[in-house]
Every structure is written in structure tokens, then in C-alpha cells.
Amino acid sequence: MEEIRRPDDMARITTPELAEAFIAEQIKLIKEQVGDKKVLLALSGGVDSSVVAALLIKAIGDQLTCVHVNHGLLRKGEPEQVIEVFRNQMKANLIYVDATDRFLDKLAGVTDPEEKRKIIGGEFIEVFAEEARKLDGVEFLAQGTIWPDILESEAGIKAHHNAGGLPEDLKFELVEPVRILFKDEVRVVGVQLGLPEGMVYRQPFPGPGLGVRCPGAITRDRLEAVRESDAILREEFAKNGLSGKVWQYFTVVPDFRSTGITDGKRTFAWPCIIRAINTTDVMEVTVEHLEPQLIDHLVKRITTEVPGINRVLFDYTPKPPATVEYE
Ligand code: XMP
């Protein structure tokens, strides 16, 4: 198949009208490519795969099967949102796999960050491949490849992409309907397709998920502390108008304890670190300085609502010298 490239003179998709024209064209192209065959998609709930899912549902309906793998490292409410939006609202063929135990069992006791990443990535492909083998007659694999992925892999900066890792017995032709779009265009198209703004304009989230925010060996209780504190941070950022303004914000719960006191009793519990940063290219980042009242409020909520936390810290370090994530 001839490689599809972004035309040099293509207008940036910034309006509903341009998005509508793109959607209409892609629906036609998808129908031509796929015919009456079946398509499979790994739907993470991230912007790119969600927009691809919405486009394909519009183009080919139940010829598409989406697989959502919950690796147990997703943010609070994310798997539920994927099910609500795609299965309940868009009537997609959605296979939901709760593989939490599988992932966490494999990760138990693993402290090395790269080893953790390798396990999460490898296990993800295995779970997805198992689901794919259960289905009959699938000939196509849809992917949320976008134009910067192509440019970066051509420049040798990063290898793209998801399909690369699938086992030999699973051979699919790729369907990549947003491959000529930049991220901002994917978002405009997503809104036009009726996806919730919270899904389309969400902050970047790493593939290994909360796993890299639970430094060292992941335990279920510390992972829950990351998930709960992250949910409180997101809720407070939304209430304070910071969600769309700050580029990325999250919490980290490191694996050490310190002494504290609650209701007159000694505690020995983890700290929760808040990270909030701004950037354009992620090579360099600056820190978003929060209002003292907001910090006070976050400290109060996190220490009272999240089991296992008795202290809240704020990370004032830009990149460099720190990276965004802790692992
Ligand atoms: P760092 O920590 O390298 O993060 O300064 C830069 C950006 O990349 C994200 N990140 C990842 N994304 N898989 C991903 O998909 C990963 O393993 C990974 N590690 C970091 C990070 O969230 C930030 O936006």
C-alpha cells in the first residue's frame, strides 16, 4: 500500500467546518480500504485512539471491535469513562479486559524503572494478542498514529508504533485515519465527533501509567494512594480553572515513610509529592507555582482522604535537571 503523507499545503484543521470535511473524507477512505471486513483497535482512552475509535464507529459501525485493556495503572474513573462513552453512548463493540492482577503480579518486587516499563509494555501486547486470537476474521488493525509520530520515527528520535510488537501469527493491514494530523487537529476532530471535552483535551499520560508514579516496587496500597491523590489533584485543578491551563499535573508517592501525628496518635506513612509543570516540547519544562490557599487545601484533602499519606510535598524542580516523571 502506498504510504499516506500529509500534503505540504494542507490547511491546519482549526474549525468545526474543516473537521467535518476531514471526517467525511476519512469515512469514505476507511470504507474503501476496509470494505465489509473486520477491524481491531486497542482503545486506551487516550486522545488519539479515542478519536480513531469514534471515526471508525461512524464509518463502519460494528465491523470495528475495540479492546480496552485495564492494566491496573490507569487513573481513577478512566476505564469507567471508556465503557460509558464507547459502549453505552457510541454503541461500540467493546471488549473490556480487567488485567489488573496479571500486571500487578508480574510487577511485584520489580524496582528497576526500565524493567517495569518492559513488563508493562510486554504484558499489554500479550493481553491484546490473546483477545485478538479469540476473534474470527479480523484483517485490519486500527492505530492512533499521528503525524509527529511519523516525523519523529523518520528522524530516528523514537520508534513508532504499537503494532511493532505484535507476535508473528497476528498479521494485520493497518488503518491509520489520523496519521496526517497534528495533535491539536486530532482534538478538533474529536470534539466534532462528539467525544467529551474532558477526554479530548486531557493532559498527557504515560503508557506505563501510574506505574512510574509509584517509584520502586509497586504495591497495591501505595498505588491506590497515587490514584486517590491524583484524583483529588485533578478535581481541585478543574474547580480552580487550572485543568486547561497547566500542561501536566500529577502526584507521586515514593517508597519511604516519615513520622507524623493524627488525632494525637503517631503515624508512620508515605509523603505525596505534587508535580505541576508547563512546557511546549517537553524537552524543557517550568514549574507552575500554585496559590498558597490551593496548596493548603490540597494538603488538607490529601492527608485526610488518602489512606497511608501523612505529608504533602511540592516539587519545585524544572527540567532539566529533573525529568517530568520520577522514573
Ligand atoms: P520525562 O519524564 O521524560 O517525560 O521528562 C516527558 C513526557 O513524556 C511522558 N512519558 C512517557 N510517556 N511512556 C509514555 O507514553 C513512557 O514511558 C513515558 N515516560 C514519560 C511524561 O508523562 C511527560 O509528558
Side-chain angles (χ1 to χ4, degrees), residues 114 117 158 203-209 212-213 247-248 250 275 277 279 281-283 285 319 322-327:
E114 291 315 305
R117 276 196 173 76
K158 77 175 179 201
Q203 54 169 325
F205 186 63
V212 290
R213 296 172 183 175
W247 199 80
Q248 199 172 7
F250 55 87
R275 188 125 174 89
I277 56 106
T279 186
D281 61 4
V282 214
M283 300 301 287
V285 316
K319 174 182 177 177
T323 51
V324 174
E325 304 289 348
Y326 274 51
E327 289 192 327

Side-chain angles (χ1 to χ4, degrees), residues 91-113:
K91 309 294 174 209
N93 232 331
L94 174 72
I95 298 172
Y96 170 67
V97 189
D98 184 352
T100 302
D101 289 341
R102 256 176 92 155
F103 279 82
L104 296 188
D105 288 352
K106 275 229 156 146
L107 286 163
V110 180
T111 53
D112 179 67

Side-chain angles (χ1 to χ4, degrees), residues 206-319:
L210 302 180
V212 290
R213 296 172 183 175
C214 192
I218 299 169
T219 57
R220 287 173 195 250
D221 49 1
R222 200 155 51 90
L223 181 61
E224 270 327 294
V226 179
R227 201 180 334 261
E228 287 301 319
S229 54
D230 172 77
I232 291 171
L233 186 71
R234 287 190 288 135
E235 194 185 314
E236 291 300 329
F237 266 45
K239 267 196 224 155
N240 288 275
L242 293 170
S243 309
K245 185 175 163 269
V246 181
W247 199 80
Q248 199 172 7
Y249 44 95
F250 55 87
T251 60
V252 176
V253 179
D255 189 13
F256 74 87
R257 294 172 204 251
S258 70
T259 304
I261 181 157
T262 300
D263 300 330
K265 284 202 190 81
R266 179 186 185 276
T267 59
F268 192 54
W270 302 300
C272 168
I273 302 168
I274 296 174
R275 188 125 174 89
I277 56 106
N278 289 306
T279 186
T280 46
D281 61 4
V282 214
M283 300 301 287
E284 294 189 0
V285 316
T286 56
V287 172
E288 172 80 16
H289 290 224
L290 304 185
E291 293 293 331
Q293 294 86 339
L294 176 57
I295 299 226
D296 288 347
H297 186 59
L298 285 165
V299 170
K300 176 99 190 139
R301 281 200 64 188
I302 292 172
T303 52
T304 50
E305 294 176 37
V306 183
I309 302 289
N310 67 354
R311 201 178 282 271
V312 175
L313 313 173
F314 189 84
D315 186 345
Y316 279 103
T317 324
K319 174 182 177 177

